[in-house]
Amino acid sequence: MSIDSRGIHGIWLSRWTFIMAATGSAVGLGNLWKFPYVVGNNGGGAFVLIYFLCMLLVGVPVMMAEVVLGREGRNSPINSMSYVVKNSECCQAWQLIGWIGVLAGLLILSFYAVIAGWGLHYILEVFSGSTVGVDGESAALLFGDLTSDPAKLIVWQTIFLGMCLTVVSGGVKKGLGAAVEILMPLLFIMLIVMLIYAILEGNFIAACRFLFEFDIASLSWRAILEAMGLAFFTLSIGMGAIMAYGAYMPAGVSIGRTVLIISVFDSLVAIVAGLIIFSIVFSTSGIEPTAGPGLMFISLPVAFGSMPAGQVIGIIFFVLVVIAAWSSAISLLEPATAWLVEATGFTRFMASFLLIGFVWFLGLGSVFSFNLGRDFTLAGFTIFDGLDFMTSNILLPIGGLAISLFVGFVMNKDALLKQMVDLEGYLLTLKTPSSCKTLSLRVGWDWVLRYVAPTAIAAIFIMGIYDNMSY
Ligand code: PHE
């Protein structure tokens, strides 16, 4: 049986579709909503620097490893891991990587859909004109009106999950592939429009200063753990989304180069989004960059409300947010859907419908965290905060650690070499000393995967959790 015919879900049309899909997964609320406010809360530049170090030293190698596992397994993360583990003749417990990933995806989607729902609501809010000329207080009231009303939140969460169902039930080519090929170019165009607007009308210099000037003293272990969690979250790694997408990647395409392109896109969008948001926030006096999760929904409407063409730009901005969230959310749903189809033979529609129902129900916990259940906390976390912290800062890094150790030390070497066209090249170039430069680059990846990434994840993780407990 050839490798490709093992998968039942199909293959992306081309390498480019894979790049669009994985970038679509990576670029999302993590870049547009979370990155700016987490940077704001952690004092700016120093945090950004650590975030980039985590992306480079941990994120990129782990993402490559995930694609390797997916393309070798050619199935949902659960079944890909079970195939690769069997083939590697090692302890069965490694299969947990697939299970934890699928679970983490559904947990993330449950709160992600609620925030994406806020984005949908704000398209209408800005469109209706209710944000024109608002001051900070009334913008906070508008936001409060939304979050304190569970019915509104549930309606928007349901609409957003319905949008995800439409795409995922269409399958790899006609659903996911077709969607990202339309959505991603649109997203980039809108981002460029926003950037030009921010440079012309916003306080661009102040935004650059905030994002790039750094004071190393403002960093704590907790902040470093957050930076690592954010890097995992924005790259969509550690939980199987990229593994699932990797399973549909055409054979023979270089994983290293492709992953590099995706991570450059992802970092660029985070930085550009940060520049846009802070330029706009700093253009109106009296708005704080440390506004927390409300930064995008309180500070930005105030700024849009008083800027030239603010209403149109505001609508473009929130449409951009929803598109980014949509193209990520489908990748949170895909691993579980692919698995349910494989395990039960259900149609894609049936599988994704059932899973959406489950996620919708879980999401009620996040919905109520902003109103009826606001006071229901565990270790200081509401359900929403707890899910966010547990997935980004615990499940994804643990998933990433396991993936790097597995691919670095345990995975069957023949299978690894078959997937890593780059490493194959390394074995060949070993005999030709004239190509020393490529040699050192290629040796880098598995070395980083074996030693640097796991050490960094474990150290940050232990120190960060310890620091968190002592708060
Ligand atoms: N990367 C997405 C974002 O930045 C979130 C995500 C995490 C998507 C994990 C898939 C998997 O918003």
Side-chain angles (χ1 to χ4, degrees):
M1 196 190 286
S2 86
I3 323 166
D4 285 356
S5 65
R6 244 199 5 260
I8 56 169
H9 307 286
I11 298 281
W12 302 116
L13 270 182
S14 67
R15 168 180 186 242
W16 186 242
T17 318
F18 172 73
I19 294 181
M20 288 291 97
T23 307
S25 167
V27 171
L29 293 174
N31 310 58
L32 298 171
W33 161 71
K34 211 171 183 191
F35 177 79
Y37 90 75
V38 174
V39 171
N41 281 344
N42 286 290
F47 182 86
V48 175
L49 183 75
I50 301 292
Y51 167 79
F52 278 119
L53 279 179
C54 289
M55 295 278 268
L56 203 72
L57 290 183
V58 182
V60 173
V62 171
M63 194 186 225
M64 284 165 71
E66 256 196 55
V67 180
V68 165
L69 290 172
R71 196 165 67 176
E72 176 62 15
R74 286 287 184 216
N75 274 299
S76 67
I78 292 179
N79 284 327
S80 286
M81 279 312 297
S82 120
Y83 172 81
V84 180
V85 165
K86 246 178 239 136
N87 202 19
S88 305
E89 291 170 4
C90 58
C91 170
Q92 300 294 311
W94 289 107
Q95 292 190 23
L96 277 177
I97 293 177
W99 286 98
I100 294 182
V102 166
L103 177 73
L106 297 178
L107 291 177
I108 295 176
L109 185 56
S110 77
F111 69 84
Y112 205 82
V114 176
I115 311 294
W118 296 356
L120 279 169
H121 174 84
Y122 267 80
I123 300 178
L124 266 193
E125 195 80 88
V126 180
F127 183 77
S128 72
S130 56
T131 54
V132 176
V134 282
D135 57 14
E137 225 166 279
S138 358
L141 279 179
L142 271 181
F143 184 58
D145 277 349
L146 169 68
T147 54
S148 62
D149 184 348
K152 265 191 207 158
L153 295 184
I154 292 175
V155 168
W156 290 120
Q157 168 217 22
T158 312
I159 295 177
F160 182 76
L161 287 174
M163 290 162 59
C164 300
L165 174 67
T166 322
V167 174
V168 176
S169 61
V172 174
K173 278 200 179 115
K174 291 199 189 121
L176 300 157
V180 294
E181 277 178 15
I182 301 171
L183 295 180
M184 295 320 287
L186 204 64
L187 185 136
F188 281 112
I189 295 173
M190 290 167 119
L191 209 61
I192 293 170
V193 171
M194 289 298 305
L195 181 65
I196 297 174
Y197 179 80
I199 295 175
L200 294 178
E201 296 293 340
N203 193 344
F204 194 68
I205 308 286
C208 288
R209 216 175 277 145
F210 185 69
L211 284 178
F212 303 124
E213 260 181 17
F214 66 90
D215 164 25
I216 224 70
S218 64
L219 280 182
S220 61
W221 277 106
R222 185 194 161 105
I224 298 176
L225 175 70
E226 271 205 61
M228 182 174 71
L230 189 63
F232 271 83
F233 190 84
T234 73
L235 278 178
S236 306
I237 51 174
M239 53 67 61
I242 294 296
M243 202 188 293
Y245 277 8
Y248 315 142
M249 187 182 187
V253 169
S254 156
I255 293 180
R257 246 169 290 157
T258 311
V259 162
L260 224 56
I261 297 178
I262 298 162
S263 43
V264 168
F265 276 149
D266 187 52
S267 327
L268 261 181
V269 175
I271 285 295
V272 168
L275 287 172
I276 293 171
I277 291 175
F278 288 118
S279 298
I280 294 176
V281 165
F282 290 137
S283 72
T284 315
S285 57
I287 314 184
E288 283 303 312
T290 53
L295 180 69
M296 193 160 108
F297 299 97
I298 300 176
S299 310
L300 278 187
V302 175
F304 288 138
S306 62
M307 292 174 86
Q311 201 174 354
V312 176
I313 292 291
I315 294 173
I316 298 184
F317 180 80
F318 285 110
V319 171
L320 170 84
V321 169
V322 169
I323 289 182
W326 193 13
S327 60
S328 297
I330 52 180
S331 74
L332 287 163
L333 185 60
E334 176 59 20
T337 306
W339 171 73
L340 202 55
V341 169
E342 289 158 13
T344 60
F346 285 166
T347 59
R348 253 189 178 261
F349 179 80
M350 191 59 183
S352 38
F353 183 78
L354 289 175
L355 288 163
I356 285 286
F358 175 65
V359 167
W360 180 87
F361 183 72
L362 273 183
L364 296 182
S366 294
V367 164
F368 296 135
S369 299
F370 297 98
N371 35 68
L372 309 175
R374 193 180 294 131
D375 300 326
F376 177 74
T377 55
L378 220 102
F381 289 119
T382 60
I383 295 186
F384 170 81
D385 292 334
L387 278 175
D388 183 13
F389 184 83
M390 186 173 81
T391 49
S392 302
N393 298 354
I394 300 181
L395 286 181
L396 301 192
I398 289 185
L401 178 68
I403 287 168
S404 48
L405 291 176
F406 180 77
V407 175
F409 290 108
V410 184
M411 185 177 174
N412 176 309
K413 290 291 165 282
D414 291 337
L416 178 61
L417 286 180
K418 187 173 70 202
Q419 294 306 330
M420 285 306 291
V421 188
D422 294 352
L423 275 186
E424 234 166 54
Y426 151 61
L427 290 182
L428 293 177
T429 47
L430 201 60
K431 297 189 194 105
T432 51
S434 55
S435 45
C436 274
K437 202 157 157 240
T438 30
L439 175 73
S440 57
L441 255 181
R442 284 164 184 167
V443 172
W445 175 68
D446 46 344
W447 191 79
V448 173
L449 199 63
R450 277 186 198 160
Y451 307 106
V452 182
T455 316
I457 300 174
I460 297 178
F461 189 67
I462 293 167
M463 297 302 289
I465 295 290
Y466 176 74
D467 207 18
N468 210 52
M469 283 187 329
S470 53
Y471 260 70

